[in-house]
Amino acid sequence: MENLSAEQPKEVRYAGFWLRFVAYIIDDLILGFVGFILSLPFIGGIVFSGLSIAESEENFESIAPGIAGIFGSIFGIILVTAAAGWLYFALMESSKTQGTLGKMALSLQVTDMEGKRISFARATGRYFGKIISGMIFMIGYIIAGLTEKKQALHDIMASCLVIRKPLE
């Protein structure tokens, strides 16, 4: 007898909106914690700058360095947390696991249209495409529940799929 199971392709099970949403919540909690830890030095900068303002005279020349320190620290927080988010999603989704910790917890993978691992460049494009998906009342995300392959707008733009791991 022939072994037909080796020749037959496995059924692709696309990840729907709610599975993806729960995975994102898990990832958001992880990134929130990591972002807080990475932001601690900048928070210290804000506190230090605020103290220097409080101790200075009330003329602009004496408080300007403190104000600059506060704005610089806020900019640092924004930059570090944005970079952390981008690297987390792009590195994890282009890795051997093909998914973030949230996706792995729910047995989801990000693939190209042929089911193969995506490149870091494609994962980066997919990540920044999420900005467009979030515009106009999150419609780009919501369409994942309406399209045939359950793709969000950023998946369509990056030619990606989010699938449930094949049963083994």
Side-chain angles (χ1 to χ4, degrees):
M1 283 185 111
E2 294 179 46
N3 184 359
L4 295 177
S5 63
E7 296 173 14
Q8 295 175 346
K10 293 183 181 178
E11 179 185 350
V12 176
R13 300 178 313 144
Y14 303 108
F17 174 83
W18 290 110
L19 271 176
R20 295 170 64 154
F21 180 74
V22 172
Y24 181 78
I25 295 297
I26 294 168
D27 291 329
D28 200 41
L29 290 170
I30 292 165
L31 277 173
F33 177 74
V34 171
F36 175 74
I37 298 300
L38 293 175
S39 298
L40 285 175
F42 298 104
I43 293 169
I46 291 170
V47 170
F48 178 76
S49 297
L51 290 174
S52 73
I53 291 172
E55 294 173 355
S56 66
E57 300 172 16
E58 292 191 17
N59 60 11
F60 182 74
E61 291 81 23
S62 63
I63 64 171
I67 292 171
I70 290 172
F71 281 114
S73 294
I74 292 170
F75 179 73
I77 290 171
I78 292 168
L79 194 63
V80 165
T81 56
W86 160 55
L87 291 172
Y88 173 76
F89 282 97
L91 288 170
M92 295 286 293
E93 291 175 352
S94 64
S95 72
K96 287 181 184 179
T97 63
Q98 293 179 258
T100 59
L101 296 173
K103 286 183 180 72
M104 290 188 316
L106 297 173
S107 297
L108 305 179
Q109 292 180 316
V110 178
T111 71
D112 67 8
M113 298 305 286
E114 285 80 43
K116 298 176 185 157
R117 188 166 116 188
I118 62 172
S119 67
F120 178 76
R122 185 175 294 205
T124 294
R126 183 176 183 275
Y127 175 78
F128 286 107
K130 290 177 183 181
I131 295 168
I132 296 168
S133 288
M135 291 179 173
I136 311 173
F137 308 113
M138 303 291 200
I139 296 289
Y141 285 99
I142 293 168
I143 66 169
L146 306 173
T147 59
E148 180 184 342
K149 295 181 180 178
K150 302 187 189 242
Q151 291 174 289
L153 181 59
H154 53 275
D155 297 317
I156 294 168
M157 291 175 8
S159 297
C160 291
L161 299 169
V162 180
I163 63 169
R164 297 171 82 175
K165 281 187 183 178
L167 301 172
E168 295 178 19

